[in-house]
Amino acid sequence: MSSAAEEAVDIARSYYNSKDADTFYSTVWGGEDIHIGIYHTESDPIREASRRTQKRMAGKLDLLKPGAKVIDLGSGYGGAARFLARSTDCHIVALNLSEVENQKARELNAVEGLDSQIDVVDGNFEELPYEDQSFDIVWSQDAFLHSPDREQVLREASRVLKSGGEFVFTDPMQSDDCPEGVLDPILKRIHLESMASPAYYREKAELYGFRDVEFDEMTIHLKRHYSAVLSTMQSMEETLRENVSQEYLDGMKEGLTHWIEGAEKNYLAWGVFLFHKSH
């Protein structure tokens, strides 16, 4: 892994391991998921909207059945892994770089008696500790943007996926026609120089043996989600201040506002990708 990639991994790990971030995400998102939801109305609870995204993704998978082997890349608190374990008798590896989030995921798995179905693994998705063709399904939600080498992420996903396997993921992206420089405030906050785009993922996927690319474009929900997070944070701010620094809250407000404005101006894109690995 390059020094730039190592630095990005260290920054992301440090951020998600921090007390401020852990308290914010586990409180505002409810401690299950830290991903973008699908909203029927703008007042939908974040947890409910997040579960809709998981259902939408799972509904695209023909191979999601008893006995399937799934790896979730960037699994956060393990909400998707538990959803998959509860709904299908499959085995899931939940790989995530934050040890703090992973420990909470293990505790939540134990409470639900899902330990035997879910392996929580400390690691990053640019260097997967698994042999070639180990999984039937690769799953990820809103995690790849943290990598400065997304092509390597796709390469690794293809490597560990069996022939004929399915790769489903979401990721906050820039739109295909996004003007140069307009997303600099967002990039500065997430400590990266660029974001992927739908066209980027389509192009790179073909290089690594993926076919039948499907993109279910749902960018409107990116705006709704970050608006919901901002509104929820503001309604809870007095309580949050007891355990989260004002500096973090101020930075989160600014960051969320940039995401919302970027979506409103059609500079951003979001949705569900489904790739099939060629035989």
Side-chain angles (χ1 to χ4, degrees):
M1 187 164 58
S2 68
S3 58
E6 289 179 352
E7 182 180 3
V9 168
D10 289 342
I11 289 172
R13 179 185 292 114
S14 177
Y15 173 77
Y16 285 108
N17 276 342
S18 71
K19 180 177 180 293
D20 280 345
D22 180 52
T23 302
F24 179 84
Y25 287 115
S26 63
T27 302
V28 175
W29 260 275
E32 282 278 336
D33 306 289
I34 52 176
H35 311 303
I36 293 171
I38 294 175
Y39 292 77
H40 288 167
T41 70
E42 294 187 359
S43 60
D44 285 350
I46 292 173
R47 182 190 289 258
E48 182 180 315
S50 297
R51 186 54 44 83
R52 285 197 197 104
T53 302
Q54 294 164 356
K55 290 180 179 178
R56 184 73 161 259
M57 294 171 69
K60 295 180 178 293
L61 298 172
D62 294 330
L63 300 179
L64 188 59
K65 54 188 67 176
K69 294 183 178 179
V70 183
I71 184 167
D72 181 1
L73 305 180
S75 53
Y77 294 113
R82 285 186 294 278
F83 165 75
L84 294 171
R86 286 191 299 262
S87 58
T88 308
D89 188 18
C90 59
H91 185 85
I92 305 107
V93 169
L95 183 138
N96 192 51
L97 54 75
S98 168
E99 295 88 355
V100 170
E101 290 178 349
N102 289 346
Q103 182 55 37
K104 287 194 174 182
R106 294 184 185 102
E107 293 168 0
L108 291 168
N109 295 345
V111 168
E112 294 197 34
L114 298 173
D115 307 67
S116 63
Q117 279 184 262
I118 303 172
D119 295 330
V120 179
V121 176
D122 299 339
N124 75 80
F125 38 60
E126 287 155 340
E127 294 181 335
L128 299 177
Y130 297 98
E131 296 181 357
D132 297 357
Q133 302 200 44
S134 296
F135 298 94
D136 301 293
I137 297 167
V138 175
W139 174 295
S140 183
Q141 290 181 258
D142 307 328
F144 297 160
L145 79 160
H146 292 296
S147 173
D149 191 355
R150 298 175 194 98
E151 187 168 349
Q152 171 63 13
V153 176
L154 294 178
R155 184 184 296 115
E156 280 290 271
S158 177
R159 182 183 66 78
V160 301
L161 191 61
K162 296 177 182 178
S163 295
E166 296 173 317
F167 178 24
V168 64
F169 71 94
T170 62
D171 201 37
M173 300 167 284
Q174 68 178 41
S175 60
D176 288 335
D177 57 355
C178 179
E180 186 174 351
V182 297
L183 295 180
D184 285 351
I186 292 176
L187 294 172
K188 181 179 180 181
R189 176 165 175 79
I190 58 179
H191 304 284
L192 291 174
E193 296 182 358
S194 68
M195 297 178 75
S197 65
Y200 173 91
Y201 281 128
R202 287 189 180 98
E203 176 187 349
K204 298 301 182 182
E206 292 183 6
L207 296 178
Y208 297 104
F210 292 111
R211 58 176 177 78
D212 298 337
V213 176
E214 173 190 334
F215 179 50
D216 190 358
E217 191 275 329
M218 295 184 289
T219 305
I220 184 63
H221 297 290
L222 185 151
K223 174 183 178 293
R224 289 175 178 171
H225 182 78
Y226 284 111
S227 295
V229 173
L230 179 59
S231 176
T232 301
M233 182 187 74
Q234 290 171 331
S235 70
M236 301 174 63
E237 189 163 359
E238 186 173 343
T239 301
L240 286 169
R241 282 199 199 99
E242 297 175 5
N243 295 292
V244 180
S245 70
Q246 189 63 52
E247 180 183 5
Y248 181 90
L249 293 174
D250 290 342
M252 183 59 74
K253 286 181 194 175
E254 181 181 358
L256 289 168
T257 299
H258 289 317
W259 281 103
I260 294 165
E261 291 175 349
E264 288 176 337
K265 295 177 179 179
N266 297 316
Y267 296 157
L268 295 171
W270 183 81
V272 179
F273 275 104
L274 175 64
F275 299 158
H276 293 85
K277 185 177 177 182
S278 303
H279 292 279

